[in-house]
């Protein structure tokens, strides 16, 4: 299956830790500002585990291709790390943003292991990544970056 093609630059990509609550909060703010968003959450991941991943590799390849395509085509991203141990995939996605020069607004909750490394990398080595003190600040700055105008 061919991954979906997302128009470049027309939405804010919501990447980072798993969980619906932080994404819901971000979507409410983006919708209120009439700024389109893309949530890469996908039910096809359900049931895939470390133990059975090899049997699902073709699907995983497809899902990762779709996720990274959407990430790289975004106008900018909000990256939110929460929980003491965010997924390795979320950390990898931040690395993709860093390496490919995609504008991102990054928030790291205080309990996240490795937060100081993330903060240092964002602050000193990647000027297109910006550290934010809250999820709401990250979303507000993404809205400002996108011009706050409707692009739907």
């Amino acid at each position: 299956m061919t991954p979906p093609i997302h128009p470049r630059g027309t939405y804010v990509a919501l990447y980072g830790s798993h969980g619906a609550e932080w994404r819901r909060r971000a979507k409410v703010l983006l919708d209120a500002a009439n700024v389109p968003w893309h949530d890469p959450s996908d039910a096809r991941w359900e049931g895939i585990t470390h133990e059975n991943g090899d049997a699902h590799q073709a699907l995983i390849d497809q899902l990762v291709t779709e996720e990274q395509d959407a990430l790289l085509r975004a106008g900018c991203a909000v990256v939110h790390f929460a929980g003491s141990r965010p997924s390795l995939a979320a950390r990898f996605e931040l690395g993709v943003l860093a390496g490919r020069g995609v504008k991102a607004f990054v928030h790291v909750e205080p309990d996240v292991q490795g937060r100081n490394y993330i903060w240092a990398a964002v602050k000193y080595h990647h000027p297109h990544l910006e550290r934010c003190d809250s999820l709401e600040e990250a979303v507000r700055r993404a809205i400002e970056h996108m011009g706050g105008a409707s692009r739907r």
Side-chain angles (χ1 to χ4, degrees), residues 13-55:
L14 302 175
Y15 281 73
S17 296
H18 296 290
E21 179 53 28
W22 79 265
R23 293 174 194 275
R24 184 196 62 73
R25 290 173 27 219
K27 290 172 189 177
V28 165
L29 295 171
L30 291 163
D31 286 344
N34 204 23
V35 172
W37 47 264
H38 171 72
D39 178 354
S41 301
D42 193 314
R44 293 176 292 171
W45 281 108
E46 292 175 19
I48 298 176
T49 65
H50 176 74
E51 290 75 23
N52 69 15
D54 290 347

Side-chain angles (χ1 to χ4, degrees), residues 11-17 19-41 76-81 105 107 109 134-144 146 152:
Y11 56 87
V12 175
L14 302 175
Y15 281 73
S17 296
E21 179 53 28
W22 79 265
R23 293 174 194 275
R24 184 196 62 73
R25 290 173 27 219
K27 290 172 189 177
V28 165
L29 295 171
L30 291 163
D31 286 344
N34 204 23
V35 172
W37 47 264
H38 171 72
D39 178 354
S41 301
C76 68
V78 169
V79 182
H80 177 70
F81 291 99
F105 303 94
H107 176 247
E109 293 285 347
S134 68
L135 173 62
E136 290 72 19
E137 178 189 352
V139 174
R140 179 184 53 75
R141 289 168 69 183
I143 289 167
E144 290 170 359
M146 296 294 286
R152 286 191 195 239

Side-chain angles (χ1 to χ4, degrees), residues 15-18 23 45 50 60 64 67-68 71 79-97 112-115 117-118:
Y15 281 73
S17 296
H18 296 290
R23 293 174 194 275
W45 281 108
H50 176 74
I60 293 168
V64 170
E67 288 178 3
Q68 288 190 13
L71 182 62
V79 182
H80 177 70
F81 291 99
S84 63
R85 298 182 65 123
S87 75
L88 295 175
R91 292 170 189 259
F92 183 84
E93 291 159 354
L94 181 60
V96 169
L97 290 164
V112 171
Q113 290 182 10
R115 74 183 174 281
Y117 183 95
I118 295 169

Side-chain angles (χ1 to χ4, degrees), residues 100-124:
R100 296 294 293 271
V102 177
K103 184 72 169 176
F105 303 94
V106 182
H107 176 247
V108 183
E109 293 285 347
D111 63 341
V112 171
Q113 290 182 10
R115 74 183 174 281
N116 302 101
Y117 183 95
I118 295 169
W119 287 343
V122 167
K123 182 176 182 179
Y124 295 110

